[in-house]
Structures are given as C-alpha cells and as structure tokens.
C-alpha cells in the first residue's frame, strides 16, 4: 500500500516532466491528416480513409516515441519506488494521450465520410493497428532508454519506427501488415500478424523497462546466471 501511495505521488511530477511537444504536435498532425479532407467535403473511398487513418496512426506513434526521454535519469536513480516506475508512468501517460488522439481522429473521419464510406470502415481492426504501432514505438524507445545514461531515446526511436513502417509496405502479400480493406481473407490474416506484433512489442517494452532500470552490473550478473543455467 505504501508503494502505491508513493507511486501516485510520483505520477504528477513525472507526467509534468514528459516532453509533451512531440506528442501534442504528432496528435495535431494526425488529426489534420483526416480533418482537411473532411473540411473540404472530399468524397473518399473506404481504401482512402484507411490510408489516411494509417498515416494518422503513424504520426501518433512517432509522438509516443519521445515520452520516455528523461535527461534527469541519472539524478532520479534512487527513489522510494521501483526504479522502473517512472518509465512505466511515462509510457502509460503517453498511451492514454495517444488513445485520446486516436479517438478524436476516428470521430473526425467518420463525421466527414460521405456516401456511406464511414460505415464500411473496420474501426476495430484499425485501432488494433494504431495500438500496435504505438506500443512498437515504446519498445524502440525503451531499448534506447535502457542503453542511454541520459535517458534520451526519442531521436532514435522515431526514425526506427518510420523505417519499420516503410519496410512494412515492402512485405510480400502473404506476409503483409497493410492489407486492403476489400480483401477479407488478406485483411483477417494481416490483423492476426498485428496482434502478434502488439503482444511482442508489449513484452519487449515491459522487459526493457524492468531491465533498463537495473544497475548495469546487476544486468550483467543476471545474464551470466541465465547462461550458466542453460549450460547446466
């Protein structure tokens, strides 16, 4: 109980220290991507709306890549709560903000859709894609945060996410993550891959937060113990 109280007291200062600029800017750009066609009364097909929502989701994920940036990491190494708690608070706050931005983006898209195009949108599956992209961005950020003494990883995580998104467009049809909405079989298979990606990225994020908060010597000792156990 005492740890929970301390964690609650930690949440406010930690969230105030988050770099909000990149996340707010990314939410704004993502919203603009769908708002401009809606305001212009453009008639878009479901495939066009899916493309716009995917671009908006990528923008939101790029913003999430910066929430773990913490130049004060060396001075906050000793706290009365677990060492990974600060990173977990930042990650949770970033995901909540991203969820709010995504909800606004979907609402604007559906409000501006014409000729019944909005009714054909698989919003649930697209939300899965957006969630997987955001958690993948966190996974890239955690990997950098764990290896950087100053705790600044967004400048590496954001480009890594963009490169991963570009690589996803080059995957063959049987492995694609970006299936067209008018291909039901391909769409279903692609979203099974999105689910796997979401789970894998989540596991990397949680593991990275815990191990990244440990002192380097402790991490090396645990790795040696793991290798020794495998040899036995």
């Amino acid at each position: 109980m005492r740890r929970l109280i301390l964690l609650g007291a930690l949440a406010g200062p930690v969230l105030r220290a988050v770099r909000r600029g990149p996340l707010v800017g990314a939410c704004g750009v993502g919203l603009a991507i769908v708002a401009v066609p809606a305001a212009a009364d453009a008639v878009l097909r479901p495939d066009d709306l899916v493309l716009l929502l995917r671009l908006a989701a990528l923008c939101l994920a790029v913003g999430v890549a910066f929430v773990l940036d913490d130049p004060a990491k060396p001075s906050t190494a000793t706290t009365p709560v677990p060492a990974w708690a600060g990173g977990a608070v930042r990650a949770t706050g970033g995901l909540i903000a991203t969820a709010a931005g995504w909800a606004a983006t979907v609402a604007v898209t559906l409000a501006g859709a014409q000729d019944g195009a909005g009714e054909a949108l698989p919003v649930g599956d697209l939300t899965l894609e957006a969630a997987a992209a955001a958690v993948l961005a966190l996974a890239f950020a955690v990997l950098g945060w764990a290896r950087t003494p100053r705790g600044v990883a967004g400048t590496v995580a954001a480009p890594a996410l963009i490169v991963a998104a570009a690589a996803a467009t080059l995957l063959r049809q049987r492995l694609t993550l970006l299936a067209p909405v008018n291909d039901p079989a391909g769409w279903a298979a692609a979203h099974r891959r999105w689910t796997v990606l979401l789970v894998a990225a989540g596991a990397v994020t949680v593991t990275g937060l815990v191990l990244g908060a440990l002192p380097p010597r402790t991490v090396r000792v645990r790795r040696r113990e793991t290798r020794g156990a495998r040899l036995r």
Side-chain angles (χ1 to χ4, degrees):
M1 180 61 70
R2 180 172 174 271
R3 285 286 180 88
L4 290 177
I5 294 174
L6 291 172
L7 186 58
L10 177 71
V14 168
L15 291 177
R16 284 195 295 272
V18 170
R19 290 184 63 188
R20 292 183 291 274
L23 184 57
V24 172
C27 288
V29 173
L31 193 58
I33 287 175
V34 298
V36 170
D41 291 330
V43 179
L44 301 176
R45 299 171 300 172
D47 278 341
D48 299 323
L49 295 176
V50 166
L51 175 59
L52 292 179
L53 284 172
R54 281 173 170 165
L55 291 174
L58 178 60
C59 289
L60 290 169
V62 168
V64 174
F66 291 88
V67 298
L68 291 180
D69 284 5
D70 182 17
K73 181 182 176 184
S75 64
T76 58
T78 55
T79 60
V81 294
W84 48 263
V89 169
R90 287 170 173 270
T92 302
L95 290 177
I96 291 174
T98 301
W102 175 251
T105 300
V106 171
V108 170
T109 301
L110 294 178
Q114 298 183 13
D115 297 336
E119 298 175 1
L121 278 180
V123 174
D125 289 340
L126 291 170
T127 300
L128 170 64
E129 294 183 17
V135 177
L136 181 62
L138 274 179
F140 285 138
V142 164
L143 293 175
W145 174 80
R147 290 167 171 77
T148 306
R150 298 292 296 175
V152 178
T155 52
V156 175
L161 179 68
I162 294 172
V163 170
T169 65
L170 302 177
L171 293 174
R172 294 183 179 179
Q173 185 173 1
R174 61 181 180 179
L175 297 175
T176 188
L177 291 169
L178 305 175
V181 71
N182 58 2
D183 178 10
W187 184 271
H191 285 83
R192 286 193 291 271
R193 300 182 195 107
W194 279 108
T195 302
V196 172
L197 178 61
L198 174 60
V199 172
V204 170
T205 299
V206 173
T207 303
L209 281 173
V210 174
L211 294 182
L214 294 174
R217 184 176 180 277
T218 303
V219 175
R220 287 197 296 270
V221 169
R222 290 193 177 184
R223 286 175 179 170
R224 290 196 199 101
E225 291 175 350
T226 302
R227 285 197 294 267
R230 289 175 181 172
L231 291 175
R232 296 193 196 100

